[in-house]
Amino acid sequence: MAGSIPASSPAFSPAFSPAFSNEPFADLRSAEVREKFGAAVSAAARSAAFEAPLIIAGERLATQGRIDSVDPSDPGRVVCRSGRAGRAEVDRAVEAAARAQGAWAATSPRYRADVVLRAAAIMREKRCELAGLEVIEAGKPWTQADADVCEAIDFCEYYAREVLLLAEGAPVLQAPGESNSYGYQSRGIVAAIAPWNFPLAIPCGMVTAGLVCGNAVMLKPAEQTPGVGLRLIEILLEAGVPSGALAFLPGVGEEAGAALVDHPQISVIAFTGSKDVGLQIIERAAVTGRGQRHVKKVIAEMGGKNAVVVDADADLDLAVPAIVDSAFAYAGQKCSAASRLIAVGDVYDAVVDRLVEATRSVRVGPASDPETVVGPVIDEIAFRRIGRYQEIAREEGEVLVQRTDIPDTGWFVGPTVAACEDPDARIATEEIFGPLIVCLRADDFGRALEIANSTPYALTGGVFSRTPAHIRQASEQMRAGNIYINRKITGALVGRQPFGGYGLSGVGSKAGGPDYLLQFCEPRVITENTARP
Ligand code: NAD
């Protein structure tokens, strides 16, 4: 098997500086950049639906079943026709991975880092093309699609550097006559099960983390975005990941996803998605299958019901645009999105009035229009679910604004602001995952934090305040994995805001942070008696 991997580093060994820095976003104000980006979006919109077959051991496999992804701004347009993996294909991919994994794990960390850095370089070359596809397949407005591609590049660059640090091991005590070393080895085969809302960055992060640590990886992309998932796998294979060590298994969650979770040879399940599916996976993965020789590790990044607290002395010129962006960018379909506004005392009326006014002017339209801020929601299921929550908002409180001047083709939902007195109401506690924010009033800052902390989720949270003691109190007491003070609560950057929640928002270390890779390896200690007898 070792023969399937070249002995030296890949031909293209990217320039490498030890310091990580984030990929700069495209300057979409520049006419030249806009033109290039626009051409990529138009090309993605015009091109005929492309096939995304399974890829197992480098072989492209058609399946009988098929899943079509469509443009959420124009659902009559099929973007990609993907294969539909079942248990048999999962078995086959895992067998190939089991054969290839040892040789991949035996390569040096530097070799694997080079492969992933090369993938980053390819993504940079194809940056507009990848973002253009996201605009059409995921309904992401331009700036959001661009940011997703940048984040994918960041994950490659960051984990490539992190694995080199990990390769140095960790310091342990030494004693006379004894040598101790602490190092890390790969775990085996990783199943990466991804959502659609960051269709390149999230799968890229989970897959490259698994790969740099020497694991083989099986990617199950979301049903809605197999086309972007395919492009990621093609790039990683082109960059030099051995074909057996990486499989592409598009399919239905309950079929391909469940088969991966149940498979006794899968060691790590890296899941990002909803709370309900995440909890189900954690339960199923706890069962030790026949012949299984390890306990499965589950990393589950799940949903949120994120609150922004606006203090009595908050700067509303700063707060309102940040809340609008946090609540409505990408139609509120970010796990980090603001879905509760909790305002303290008299500031409630002022901030809510201004939020309602700002919501009336936020630009809603097809994702392909460069001016669009709020594009469509991902599919009909989401469209109906959010519509039901708009009704629930009327029953549980009052709808202050619900935009109706929105396109009538495509899965468009008008940005909505609701008010509610009961912090335990469904609209104030359940993840809606759409452009709907609920406003709640609190008598004082302490009560505002209590309300913010009253759901089982703990993903992101924000505070606008000019009072240092309140800022300190929120930093200490707010129940959230990522807390933002006097800024928007979305847009975490790799290495700067490592991302992830706790409570029922997730279990595992933060993506894009210094502990993340540890989850994909096993630590081992070697002790040698060095005292000569
Ligand atoms: P989802 O849970 O419906 O699906 C996620 C993935 O799981 C998909 O690939 C799906 O096919 C698969 N899946 C579904 N059922 C499965 C099963 N029984 N076994 C195995 N796999 C299964 O989520 P989604 O709609 O794709 O994404 C939106 C959700 O993801 C939101 O709740 C959002 O908050 C969350 N999310 C969280 C983070 C985070 O970092 N915490 C990031 C992005 C999205």
Side-chain angles (χ1 to χ4, degrees), residues 192-198 202 220-224 251-261 269 271-278 280-281 284 300-306 333-337 378-379 385 431 433 457 459 499-501 505-506 511:
I193 302 178
W196 47 265
N197 66 336
F198 290 87
I202 289 182
K220 209 299 276 169
E223 290 86 329
Q224 296 88 342
V252 173
E254 293 78 358
E255 298 169 5
L260 282 165
V261 170
I269 299 158
F271 166 81
T272 308
S274 62
K275 165 175 73 68
D276 291 350
V277 173
Q280 232 182 74
I281 288 176
R284 282 178 88 138
E301 308 284 349
M302 304 185 284
K305 185 70 187 174
N306 312 307
Q333 300 173 107
K334 300 184 190 183
C335 48
S336 52
I378 190 70
D379 57 17
R385 183 188 66 242
E431 186 183 48
F433 220 56
Y457 292 109
L459 191 51
F499 188 79
S505 288

Side-chain angles (χ1 to χ4, degrees), residues 1-127:
M1 272 303 115
S4 63
I5 295 178
S8 59
S9 268
F12 172 89
S13 187
F16 175 79
S17 89
F20 166 80
S21 61
N22 296 107
E23 186 68 15
F25 296 143
D27 179 7
L28 291 168
R29 289 163 311 182
S30 138
E32 197 190 325
V33 176
R34 276 169 87 90
E35 200 178 307
K36 207 169 154 206
F37 202 102
V41 172
S42 306
R46 273 197 318 268
S47 71
F50 61 96
E51 305 283 326
L54 281 52
I55 305 181
I56 299 176
E59 215 183 306
R60 292 180 166 244
L61 298 174
T63 51
Q64 279 217 316
R66 206 182 71 187
I67 303 172
D68 288 350
S69 70
V70 299
D71 177 354
S73 304
D74 178 8
R77 175 191 287 149
V78 177
V79 179
C80 174
R81 301 185 192 284
S82 89
R84 180 168 173 166
R87 235 162 244 277
E89 290 80 15
V90 166
D91 287 348
R92 191 165 157 185
V94 172
E95 269 169 39
R99 284 195 301 271
Q101 194 265 326
W104 176 239
T107 59
S108 70
R110 177 65 216 221
Y111 179 92
R112 298 193 297 269
D114 271 355
V115 169
V116 168
L117 289 169
R118 186 160 186 243
I122 302 171
M123 283 182 207
R124 250 179 229 115
E125 273 166 29
K126 301 190 170 189
R127 185 174 165 156

Side-chain angles (χ1 to χ4, degrees), residues 279-461:
L279 294 178
Q280 232 182 74
I281 288 176
I282 289 167
E283 233 178 276
R284 282 178 88 138
V287 176
T288 310
R290 186 132 46 102
Q292 190 174 319
R293 285 157 39 109
H294 56 268
V295 177
K296 289 176 190 166
K297 177 161 189 78
V298 183
I299 305 157
E301 308 284 349
M302 304 185 284
K305 185 70 187 174
N306 312 307
V308 176
V309 171
V310 178
D311 201 356
D313 65 354
D315 177 350
L316 298 191
D317 291 339
L318 185 67
V320 173
I323 295 168
V324 169
D325 193 1
S326 304
F328 298 138
Y330 192 34
Q333 300 173 107
K334 300 184 190 183
C335 48
S336 52
S339 58
R340 291 180 295 158
L341 162 63
I342 305 166
V344 177
D346 292 344
V347 85
Y348 178 93
D349 293 324
V351 69
V352 170
D353 281 354
R354 287 177 63 170
L355 174 62
V356 166
E357 280 319 303
T359 302
R360 289 190 206 284
S361 59
V362 71
R363 180 88 172 221
V364 185
S368 57
D369 179 341
E371 304 306 323
T372 289
V373 175
V374 182
V377 298
I378 190 70
D379 57 17
E380 185 175 2
I381 295 174
F383 174 82
R384 298 205 180 285
R385 183 188 66 242
I386 302 160
R388 279 197 302 278
Y389 275 108
Q390 288 172 325
E391 290 314 310
I392 295 170
R394 286 190 173 81
E395 290 155 20
E396 291 185 327
E398 185 187 351
V399 170
L400 304 174
V401 58
Q402 177 181 327
R403 290 275 299 277
T404 51
D405 53 335
I406 54 176
D408 49 15
T409 53
W411 304 124
F412 290 92
V413 174
T416 302
V417 179
C420 179
E421 284 179 11
D422 177 8
D424 298 324
R426 288 185 62 191
I427 49 161
T429 54
E430 296 175 11
E431 186 183 48
I432 298 169
F433 220 56
L436 194 169
I437 184 166
V438 60
C439 305
L440 299 146
R441 192 191 294 265
D443 290 341
D444 56 43
F445 191 74
R447 176 64 188 144
L449 287 186
E450 249 174 55
I451 296 172
N453 291 349
S454 64
T455 80
Y457 292 109
L459 191 51
T460 63

